[in-house]
Amino acid sequence: MAKRPKSGKCVHCLQNFNNLTRDHVFPSAWYPDNTPENVQRWTIPSCRECNNEYGKLEEDMLLKLGLCINPEYAKSSGITEKALRSIDPEYATDRKEKRIRQRKRDKVIKEIVKFKVLPHTGVYPNFRSYSNLYYPEYLSILISSKQIERLCHKIVRGITYIIDNTFIEENFNINFFPVEDKDVRPILESLQKGLEKYELPGIKVVRAMADDDRNAGFYAIEIWDQLKMYAIVI
């Protein structure tokens, strides 16, 4: 288990603190249930405020994304079940928690959008319908693009700290791109010789770094074989 740093800089806000927490680069609850117990889960130094804010963001996204991914994929094994349990009052341990789960459930149901025909725009890449299935209607869950962008920024900062033991400072920009895989494939092919690849259960990261600055580069992040995020740091 990684030791909690007593003081230092937060990877996220880049401010110095006397007491830091350890934040998971990839949310602990996002690992599939077939993850071996001895897997080293990446953690980074974070102030308590940033850690709490990202924790709430990741909890909300796990619920929404967990209801949209394919539960039959090995890389997302158990994720959908986690999402469903989190809004099932029957899994509550007391009355207060039961009310909280019921409110979350009601909120999700209220926010579901129904389509007779799936729109051509506004659907996150790799989350469209399956061509081999018949859909009498399409149930869609709204997810803020800002939430996904923030998650992408967090992961890029975390990976940089874990691999290079450095911070992405304020004079660098992290640019997030929600694009189709086919649009990124030519970039990956052109960078093939310089690609670095890292894998954890359900998670894969591919990146290519600038020769003159290890902070600048291209990142391809894949979670559960479906959630794809691409970023360029300049």
Side-chain angles (χ1 to χ4, degrees):
M1 181 179 294
K3 294 182 179 180
R4 176 177 296 180
K6 295 182 179 179
S7 63
K9 183 186 290 189
C10 171
V11 169
H12 308 304
C13 67
L14 303 177
Q15 301 300 308
N16 287 297
F17 294 88
N18 291 327
N19 294 294
L20 290 170
T21 65
R22 300 298 303 188
D23 184 20
H24 286 83
V25 177
F26 300 101
S28 184
W30 288 37
Y31 287 84
D33 60 9
N34 53 15
T35 301
E37 292 185 4
N38 61 348
V39 166
Q40 183 66 43
R41 305 187 184 200
W42 293 346
T43 63
I44 51 178
S46 169
C47 70
R48 192 170 303 279
E49 182 176 353
C50 285
N51 201 339
N52 289 340
E53 285 184 5
Y54 277 113
K56 293 176 183 177
L57 169 71
E58 292 157 355
E59 181 181 352
D60 184 57
M61 290 188 65
L62 175 64
L63 169 57
K64 293 178 178 178
L65 292 170
L67 298 177
C68 298
I69 62 175
N70 189 332
E72 297 181 359
Y73 285 3
K75 291 184 179 181
S76 60
S77 177
I79 298 299
T80 297
E81 287 78 6
K82 287 181 185 178
L84 291 171
R85 284 199 303 269
S86 72
I87 56 174
D88 189 342
E90 295 301 319
Y91 285 92
T93 56
D94 54 48
R95 291 184 178 181
K96 181 180 179 180
E97 185 184 347
K98 188 172 185 177
R99 288 195 298 269
I100 292 173
R101 289 177 185 245
Q102 186 62 55
R103 283 198 297 267
K104 287 182 180 180
R105 185 187 188 95
D106 294 340
K107 187 173 184 293
V108 169
I109 294 174
K110 184 178 180 181
E111 292 178 350
I112 288 177
V113 180
K114 298 181 181 181
F115 295 99
K116 285 296 182 182
V117 178
L118 199 64
H120 294 291
T121 60
V123 179
Y124 195 82
N126 301 303
F127 280 88
R128 300 192 70 85
S129 57
Y130 296 96
S131 58
N132 62 326
L133 297 178
Y134 167 72
Y135 297 86
E137 63 181 356
Y138 299 90
L139 304 181
S140 301
I141 294 178
L142 301 180
I143 297 178
S144 167
S145 60
K146 289 296 183 181
Q147 284 187 316
I148 300 179
E149 183 175 12
R150 283 196 68 199
L151 179 67
C152 179
H153 283 205
K154 176 202 171 178
I155 293 174
V156 169
R157 289 184 180 277
I159 292 169
T160 300
Y161 182 86
I162 291 291
I163 305 303
D164 301 321
N165 194 31
T166 189
F167 299 86
I168 297 180
E169 300 291 351
E170 293 180 354
N171 58 322
F172 285 82
N173 289 323
I174 304 174
N175 300 296
F176 162 67
F177 299 96
V179 296
E180 299 284 352
D181 291 345
K182 61 182 177 61
D183 297 323
V184 181
R185 198 168 294 120
I187 299 176
L188 291 173
E189 291 175 353
S190 68
L191 298 172
Q192 194 63 42
K193 292 184 179 180
L195 292 179
E196 303 172 9
K197 300 180 181 180
Y198 307 94
E199 289 198 49
L200 293 170
I203 300 158
K204 182 168 72 173
V205 176
V206 176
R207 68 176 194 164
M209 310 309 293
D211 293 333
D212 57 344
D213 194 328
R214 290 288 296 177
N215 271 344
F218 168 81
Y219 288 75
I221 303 163
E222 178 184 298
I223 301 178
W224 308 321
D225 205 29
Q226 281 188 268
L227 178 60
K228 311 288 182 72
M229 296 177 283
Y230 300 98
I232 296 176
V233 181
I234 57 175

